[in-house]
Amino acid sequence: MTSPDQRPAALDGEAASATQDALGAEHAVLWVYGLVSAFLPDSFDDSVQEARNAHRARRDAIELLLSGAGQTPRSAEPAYVLPREVSDQASAIAVIVVAESDATVAWRAVLERTDDKALRAAALAGLTESAVWATRWRVAGGQSPATPPLPGTPA
């Protein structure tokens, strides 16, 4: 994601806050994948694992970026409030889509609050990857449209 020499030296208040929020969104996405995997058939195992690995790597990189900028990274919550009950495959996919969409919104907020090249690159990658995952899950769930016109735009 970013090499150590690309880390921002310091983050101003708005950029730091937005980055912490994006880190929180990454924690939430990881928690959601852990929860919903129990409601998805084995045919989704590879997709779930691939997404979890990608988000885990992003979370770890953002924690390093924040630490390198003198910030204490936000810890994961013990649990997160879901937008709906998860009881089957359809509801599990719907919740994943919401979590991935929330991550796109968080990463877009980082883009809007910093001029730092390394942080903007990380935020763009986070927004793009979460938008792609959200689209994949919308397709898997038969949702239409499969992608919003402007991923990362708050609903």
Side-chain angles (χ1 to χ4, degrees), residues 1-149:
M1 189 166 112
T2 59
S3 66
D5 60 325
Q6 292 177 319
R7 290 190 194 134
L11 295 175
D12 67 26
E14 282 191 14
S17 178
T19 305
Q20 291 283 7
D21 290 346
L23 175 60
E26 292 296 331
H27 287 312
V29 170
L30 284 164
W31 184 86
V32 165
Y33 274 110
L35 173 79
V36 302
S37 63
F39 297 92
L40 296 173
D42 292 346
S43 61
F44 286 103
D45 285 353
D46 289 344
S47 291
V48 168
Q49 192 57 45
E50 185 182 347
R52 288 180 80 184
N53 289 343
H55 283 288
R56 193 174 293 117
R58 178 155 316 288
R59 177 206 58 199
D60 294 350
I62 292 304
E63 286 176 340
L64 285 173
L65 186 144
L66 284 165
S67 295
Q71 301 287 321
T72 301
R74 177 181 297 169
S75 297
E77 300 293 328
Y80 294 86
V81 177
L82 298 174
R84 65 187 288 182
E85 180 181 329
V86 178
S87 58
D88 58 13
Q89 178 179 323
S91 60
I93 289 173
V95 168
I96 292 171
V97 169
V98 170
E100 291 285 7
S101 296
D102 288 349
T104 66
V105 171
W107 285 116
R108 180 176 171 166
V110 174
L111 280 170
E112 294 172 345
R113 287 167 178 79
T114 187
D115 292 327
D116 181 84
K117 186 176 180 179
L119 185 53
R120 287 184 63 79
L124 181 59
L127 187 155
T128 303
E129 290 175 16
S130 284
V132 168
W133 279 112
T135 298
R136 289 180 183 175
W137 288 111
R138 283 186 194 98
V139 169
Q143 296 180 24
S144 182
T147 189

